[in-house]
Amino acid sequence: HPEAATKVSLFRDKYYVIQQILQRHELFSVRSLASANSEKYALTSTEVLRGSSSNDSCILLGMLVQLKEGEYHLEDLTGCVKLDLTIASYQKGIFSENSIIIVEGSYEDKVLLAKAIGFPPYETAKKTVNHFGNINFFGGNSPTCPKASLQLREIEDTLVNSFFVVISDVWLDVPEVFSKLRVLFQGYSDNPPTAFILIGNFSSEPYGPLHYNRTKDMFKQLAILITNFPNVQQKSHFFIIPGPEDVGPGNIFPRPALPSSIQAEFKKRVPLANFTTNPNRIQMCTKEIVVFRDNLLKKLCSGAIHFSSTADIPDHLTHTILSQAYLCPLPIHSRPIYWEYSHSLTLYPIPDFLILADSYTHYSVCVNDCTCVNPG
């Protein structure tokens, strides 16, 4: 079992990642002779703020926390300060507890009067790679970043007809879904995709004493269906990613793959099947794909301290996730996570494709060379 220090490291590591991104940003980097005439902003810590007698304008980076009901504070590595949000204006994003934010305001009577609140600017993957070189942050067996591989890039250039099919909430217990899957496989039988990404939940009724046995039987029937289309069966990879209500541990992330006893029958019939975790990372030559299944938007909006009713919701969600460099910027009490495995939820550097499978309607947003989609 993890120790309490592991939980502390969880928050500290998230802060460090955003802090070092901010320190490289042109607006917050150390002033040089070449940039003497450009506008720069200096960050203040809560420790310095509490020891200051001046009420001049200041800018802080910290985590939004609620230490008492109805009282919000800004916490960084040196301490915390109480926030007054009555006149604050908010920039793009969905602001909730545990979000790391930038606050501009003035300090008076031991309270930081917030005038403007926004998320930290995010960094393109290209800029991150330029700074760190060929270090592999994404994961896998290679010690170096696959993006730097000329051989992989050459292979990728030959795969002009390669494509993925992504489907979320594949309710295998609904007969209509099975008939639609049959039509889908039939349509791709002559030109099978590189991979099918099938994302849970895999049952319309996720609870009850028969949940496990029913799921096992459903995947057996799905495997039998796939064998009716030999091209799809033999040439397409299948990535099976569990949803938050599928068979497995409680509602906690990251979720392990579906039990091996469910996988066994499926893999006998479908040799290229991959039962994976949630979230999941897929490397396609030099392209990095992250898949995450949760009703994240609903949870973020329900716990938000501010959200514009006229906002472009997908754009705000994408901005929130990328600026936090984290898939689930929610309080642990509303979205439990395994402390020791919180790094699996990190989005740093930003991937090429981010699939946020959600119960919200379909959307596609492209930000800083990252395409974020919800299959719906």
Side-chain angles (χ1 to χ4, degrees), residues 64 66 72 83 85 90 94-97 101 117 300-307:
L64 182 65
Q66 190 175 191
Y72 289 97
L83 283 173
L85 304 174
Y90 295 84
I94 306 173
F95 298 86
S96 63
E97 286 185 66
I101 59 176
I117 295 177
L300 275 173
C301 291
S302 64
I305 64 168
H306 172 82
F307 185 73

Side-chain angles (χ1 to χ4, degrees), residues 253 278-280 290-294 296 327-328 345 355-357:
F253 284 98
N278 180 17
N280 179 44
V290 174
V291 187
F292 184 51
R293 171 65 180 97
D294 191 22
L296 183 60
L327 279 170
C328 196
L345 299 168
I355 302 173
L356 294 176

